[in-house]
Amino acid sequence: MTITPPALSVFETLESEVRSYCRGWPAVFDRAQGARLTDEDGHSYLDFFAGAGSLNYGHNNPVLKRALIDYIERDGITHGLDMATTAKRAFLESFQNVVLRPRDLPYKVMFPGPTGTNAVESALKLARKVKGRESIVSFTNAFHGMSLGSLAVTGNAFKRAGAGIPLVHGTPMPFDNYLDGQTPDFLWFERLLEDQGSGLNKPAAVIVETIQGEGGINVAHPDWLRALADLCRRQDMLLIVDDIQMGCGRTGAFFSFEEAGITPDIVTLSKSISGYGLPMSLCLFNPELDIWEPGEHNGTFRGNNPAFVTATAALNTYWADGQMEKQTLARGEQVEQALLAISTESTGDIPTFRGRGLVWGLEFADKQRASAVCARAFELGLLLETSGPQSEVVKLLPPLTITADELDEGLRTVARAVRDTA
């Protein structure tokens, strides 16, 4: 189909220049359902973006929408701060029974605020409070949020520069395979920790993504994650797993670290934890770390009760029987085979691909190619975004509830966009 860019006058004249996604997708979107969006001119788009991972169950999921409408119609609490409400109780009980107990996870649950960066900030603050140290170790190409504490443990130079002040108390270390296997894992990190002359302050914690979504779909191997967890135990550092984009089933299991068989000290969740795209985040941690004073970390919108309602419905609908994990892994195999075919059929700039579950990246030697592929995909009716420090990776992030036929349709469009931009 041919997309005619709409008149965007009010967006261009009134909205800040900081806007970004709309520049790659010049349409005014009006409705959405499942894995599709429709613009105000009636054009339909298949969604391989899923609200940057906040719509794992698709747009306007009918089960979650029904629960939300029923709650609103009975005048259920909308804004609750950290007051006890029926909606919060139902969520906590479901989260405990459906997620924590079956995995033998002992975590306390904290509602730090509505966004992922709120969860990261609370995790960093808690780690420093518990250990009495300031330094946090993060990894190359990490992304943990846009507030100052989160930016200090983020690798992207462009995003860090937006802070306007020095970002301190964070130390980067090489992520899995950053040195192309030439140096044993954690050799540099451990040497610095043990050398009294290294200049590295003893860290309070290490924060890591099991798959770096914004960093380029960089996948940490399970043995690397296990070695990191072991290093943290031996060196008295807390292990924080940022599962904001990769949690809630994106990689198959509910938590992305389950495959590695590790139990982090602290876990951050956001994006798809509400299930419906409503703002909500969690900071989970071992009970012995719960040394907060009442009100020591708070926020006006940490009690988004409509989000509790849809989150509860999502857990009870999709995570009570184990079928979602199986479906996601099957869909992931479908994506992997399609990307293998694209790579095999390509000539010249042959792309590489990597991922797990329903998060995949397609990378070209030509750093500009990914943006061209995404632009062509949009013209063909598919939403894709780029990732990586130079936007060099095409990122595939479809809803977990996408049908096999819809997924195949989108993958065919990806293949055509790759061919058309060769």
Side-chain angles (χ1 to χ4, degrees):
M1 67 180 169
T2 301
I3 306 298
T4 303
L8 299 174
S9 58
V10 71
F11 305 108
E12 294 170 344
T13 61
L14 188 60
E15 191 178 0
S16 167
E17 292 298 319
V18 78
R19 66 193 188 279
S20 60
Y21 292 118
C22 60
R23 298 179 188 275
W25 302 326
V28 179
F29 296 103
D30 181 48
R31 292 174 290 112
Q33 211 289 315
R36 296 186 186 275
L37 297 93
T38 304
D39 68 20
E40 62 183 6
D41 294 324
H43 297 121
S44 178
Y45 303 80
L46 195 58
D47 188 2
F48 271 26
F49 174 64
S54 64
L55 294 167
N56 281 4
Y57 312 105
H59 296 269
N60 287 302
N61 181 289
V63 176
L64 312 190
K65 180 168 66 175
R66 185 72 263 162
L68 179 60
I69 290 172
D70 290 346
Y71 183 76
I72 292 172
E73 285 186 338
R74 73 167 184 81
D75 292 331
I77 296 291
T78 295
H79 181 271
L81 293 161
D82 68 356
M83 295 183 291
T85 65
T86 55
K88 181 193 280 189
R89 179 175 59 200
F91 168 73
L92 286 170
E93 290 174 348
S94 291
F95 192 71
Q96 184 176 51
N97 293 332
V98 175
V99 175
L100 297 181
R101 280 180 177 159
R103 293 162 179 81
D104 197 27
L105 295 171
Y107 297 137
K108 297 290 289 292
V109 179
M110 175 182 177
F111 300 97
T115 71
T117 201
N118 292 133
V120 170
E121 293 284 358
S122 65
L124 301 180
K125 286 171 65 173
L126 181 59
R128 288 171 170 138
K129 180 178 174 67
V130 168
K131 292 299 182 182
R133 309 176 202 137
E134 296 178 355
S135 178
I136 304 289
V137 165
S138 58
F139 291 94
T140 50
N141 291 312
F143 178 77
H144 296 290
M146 298 298 283
S147 52
L148 292 181
S150 300
L151 276 177
V153 291
T154 287
N156 187 285
F158 174 74
K159 292 180 172 65
R160 288 175 63 88
I165 62 170
L167 297 170
V168 297
H169 309 306
T171 303
M173 290 291 165
F175 191 71
D176 189 9
N177 204 41
Y178 183 76
L179 299 173
D180 300 320
Q182 299 176 29
T183 303
D185 292 338
F186 308 115
L187 176 65
W188 171 242
F189 189 6
E190 193 154 18
R191 185 72 58 83
L192 290 176
L193 288 169
E194 294 175 350
D195 184 356
Q196 294 300 308
S198 70
L200 176 66
N201 293 330
K202 182 80 169 183
V206 174
I207 185 167
V208 67
E209 303 155 276
T210 65
I211 300 176
Q212 295 180 327
E214 299 303 310
I217 318 300
N218 305 312
V219 182
H221 294 87
D223 56 354
W224 187 87
L225 291 168
R226 286 190 288 269
L228 175 61
D230 180 64
L231 177 62
C232 288
R233 281 192 297 270
R234 289 188 285 106
Q235 294 288 345
D236 187 34
M237 302 178 296
L238 297 178
L239 176 60
I240 305 169
V241 168
D242 181 341
D243 233 4
I244 287 166
Q245 188 168 84
M246 298 304 156
C248 302
R250 176 54 58 180
T251 66
F254 187 86
F255 294 107
S256 70
F257 55 80
E258 291 183 53
E259 182 187 25
I262 62 174
T263 302
D265 300 291
I266 304 175
V267 180
T268 59
L269 289 176
S270 187
K271 290 193 182 286
S272 276
I273 186 60
S274 81
Y276 202 74
L278 300 176
M280 177 179 172
S281 73
L282 304 177
C283 185
L284 314 175
F285 41 80
N286 288 326
E288 63 270 19
L289 304 181
D290 194 10
I291 62 172
W292 292 112
E293 295 292 333
E296 192 173 10
H297 185 95
N298 57 27
T300 303
F301 294 102
R302 65 195 184 279
N304 185 354
N305 281 254
F308 298 157
V309 170
T310 54
T312 302
L315 293 177
N316 293 336
T317 302
Y318 294 104
W319 292 100
D321 60 5
Q323 292 305 306
M324 175 58 74
E325 180 174 352
K326 294 177 182 177
Q327 176 176 298
T328 298
L329 293 175
R331 299 282 191 271
E333 292 177 2
Q334 186 178 347
V335 176
E336 185 174 14
Q337 291 304 309
L339 296 184
L340 176 61
I342 290 173
S343 180
T344 301
E345 295 165 6
S346 296
T347 58
D349 188 3
I350 299 175
T352 60
F353 60 93
R354 53 190 176 267
R356 264 177 57 202
L358 274 177
V359 53
W360 290 84
L362 191 64
E363 183 174 8
F364 301 87
D366 178 359
K367 302 297 184 184
Q368 305 303 313
R369 183 81 177 280
S371 295
V373 169
C374 290
R376 180 57 179 147
F378 175 75
E379 293 173 349
L380 297 170
L382 177 68
L383 299 188
L384 288 171
E385 72 163 331
T386 61
S387 69
Q390 299 178 66
S391 299
E392 73 275 23
V393 177
V394 176
K395 182 179 183 182
L396 284 68
L397 205 71
L400 306 185
T401 51
I402 193 168
T403 67
D405 288 343
E406 288 172 328
L407 186 58
D408 184 59
E409 175 189 340
L411 292 168
R412 289 198 306 271
T413 303
V414 173
R416 179 176 172 184
V418 171
R419 291 193 302 271
D420 289 354
T421 56

